[in-house]
Amino acid sequence: MGFLESFNRGLSGNDGYEFADRQVACAHCGGTAFDERSAQLNTMGLTFLDLDWANRSATVLVCQNCGHLEWFL
Ligand SMILES: [Zn+2]
């Protein structure tokens, strides 16, 4: 259990992120070290998709290993 708990503490560090109670792993290489960015969606025309609840911003995690982007609203 200690292995998983170590990731719960990594929300603002480089040792892992969790969204919806699942650890984020890169879809391409499986890495768990990410750089966090935020992205504004107000120029992407998503209002018609009823995404106003997301405050028109997204969290983007950039894999430090391969550069793959993981998007979270
Ligand atoms: Zn990766």
Side-chain angles (χ1 to χ4, degrees):
M1 294 303 290
F3 177 78
L4 292 176
E5 288 167 1
S6 69
F7 287 111
N8 290 333
R9 294 193 299 271
L11 293 175
S12 62
N14 292 329
D15 54 346
Y17 288 86
E18 279 196 356
F19 284 90
D21 296 324
R22 291 180 59 90
Q23 183 199 347
V24 179
C26 176
H28 181 70
C29 74
T32 58
F34 295 90
D35 289 323
E36 183 174 353
R37 299 288 188 270
S38 62
Q40 298 300 315
L41 302 179
N42 57 352
T43 62
M44 294 177 68
L46 295 177
T47 301
F48 73 98
L49 294 175
D50 196 23
L51 289 175
D52 283 342
W53 56 267
N55 201 27
R56 297 185 179 184
S57 66
T59 297
V60 183
L61 298 182
V62 184
C63 178
Q64 292 183 0
N65 185 50
C66 74
H68 179 81
L69 303 181
E70 297 280 359
W71 287 73
F72 295 88
L73 295 179

